[in-house]
Amino acid sequence: MSVLAEIAAATRAAHAVAAPATVAIGRHARGAGVVIAPDRVLTSAHNLRDRTTQVTFADGTHAQASLVGSDADHDVVVLEVPTGDATPLTWADTPPQPGDAVFALARTAGGDRITAGSVSGVGRSFRGPRGRRVTGAVEHTAPLARGSSGGPLVDADGRLVGLNTHRLGDGFYLALPADDDLRARVDALVGGRHLRTRRLGIVIVPGPRAARLRARVGLPEAAGLLVRAVAEGSPAAAAGLDEGDLVTAVDGQPVASVDDLWDALDAAADRTSVEVTALRGADERTVTVTFADDPDDAAG
């Protein structure tokens, strides 16, 4: 068998398994999704416009789906919708590695699509719907049209190796890898949980601009995040943080960027409080910020 014949056979085999589990999201197929459990569809959070949306299946039928679980910071949601005879995809045993052959699927207004490619890189990052940096993404070369985000990336056996998320341009696409982290998140969403990163409840001015604003009022230069506003009733407000404070560290770790702050809060996910160091004028102070509730948000 020639190489081209082998590629064609592998593509057809992957299509036969994965296409029946691939769905369109939205009335005009603005995105794609994948059946991952009976009556449960996984897709990208940025495909949703509301807590309900239309889902179209391989046989052309469609139904209204409702939101079951969400993790907008990591750009994934799970929907509840009758999936009928669609067989959920099986997760691959290991996440994809550079050089692996992969197949990307989507269901658009014109029908289903499958394209072949290879993993061109791992450990990439992108910004989620709320601006958070999502790390660990897989870069691949399987071309995808608009409306393909949220669809499955599979191996030659049709097993789920990733969830397509963003087009990079120049023929590359990013996918969340089907690793232990994603599987744990999806399991939580299937169970009806809404995950979110802990938040201090502050509006910030990032480093370079913060330095300029401090310089204008004669304050010494310092790396950190300038507090522009504090939400009423927030953990930051309860701890005494105020507009004009410069947050320089969380639990002793310097925070010079928004990503540093998110990373520090993630590191404290198993605790109910963090120590925030801030400059008020030229005076340094450390306050304890306590999170009264679990970071899960039942209201989404």
Side-chain angles (χ1 to χ4, degrees):
M1 181 181 293
S2 69
V3 172
L4 288 178
E6 290 178 355
I7 294 174
T11 304
R12 286 193 293 268
H15 181 269
V17 174
T22 303
V23 303
I25 303 294
R27 189 177 300 275
H28 301 292
R30 60 176 171 267
V34 56
V35 178
I36 44 89
D39 300 337
R40 296 293 186 268
V41 166
L42 174 66
T43 187
S44 298
H46 69 259
N47 286 335
L48 264 63
R49 302 292 183 268
D50 203 344
R51 295 180 70 87
T52 64
T53 189
Q54 179 176 291
V55 172
T56 303
F57 294 89
D59 60 3
T61 61
H62 56 262
Q64 197 70 10
S66 59
L67 182 65
V68 171
S70 64
D71 185 355
D73 285 327
H74 291 86
D75 201 19
V76 288
V77 295
V78 168
L79 306 174
E80 180 178 18
V81 63
T83 54
D85 296 333
T87 301
L89 288 194
T90 300
W91 295 81
D93 295 331
T94 58
Q97 299 298 319
D100 285 354
V102 290
F103 303 87
L105 292 96
R107 186 163 303 285
T108 66
D112 65 271
R113 284 193 173 103
I114 183 169
T115 54
S118 63
V119 175
S120 50
V122 296
R124 304 296 194 252
S125 63
F126 64 94
R127 295 286 170 183
R130 295 181 178 175
R132 182 200 168 104
R133 180 184 61 185
V134 181
T135 60
V138 171
E139 178 189 281
H140 66 84
T141 62
L144 287 166
R146 291 185 181 277
S148 299
S149 62
L153 186 71
V154 303
D155 61 17
D157 295 319
R159 297 175 300 182
L160 187 66
V161 298
L163 188 76
N164 291 310
T165 56
H166 288 77
R167 181 185 295 102
L168 289 176
D170 299 323
F172 297 99
Y173 213 94
L174 290 182
L176 292 173
D179 55 12
D180 291 341
D181 180 70
L182 181 63
R183 294 179 71 164
R185 291 181 186 279
V186 171
D187 286 345
L189 304 189
V190 168
R193 296 178 63 186
H194 298 271
L195 309 179
R196 64 175 182 177
T197 302
R198 292 192 186 278
R199 283 170 167 75
L200 299 178
I202 58 176
V203 179
I204 60 174
V205 177
R209 187 180 170 199
R212 291 194 297 270
L213 291 174
R214 283 176 59 86
R216 287 179 188 174
V217 295
L219 292 172
E221 182 176 347
L225 304 171
L226 185 65
V227 179
R228 189 174 70 186
V230 179
E232 184 177 353
S234 66
L241 289 174
D242 202 357
E243 180 182 357
D245 288 348
L246 184 76
V247 175
T248 59
V250 174
D251 287 335
Q253 297 299 312
V255 290
S257 69
V258 176
D259 291 331
D260 290 341
L261 178 58
W262 272 324
D263 289 344
L265 294 176
D266 279 350
D270 60 344
R271 293 187 282 113
T272 59
S273 66
V274 294
E275 300 296 312
V276 175
T277 302
L279 293 176
R280 180 162 293 174
D283 299 327
E284 184 177 270
R285 58 199 295 263
T286 298
V287 299
T288 300
V289 177
T290 300
F291 304 98
D293 300 318
D294 189 273
D296 290 6
D297 177 16

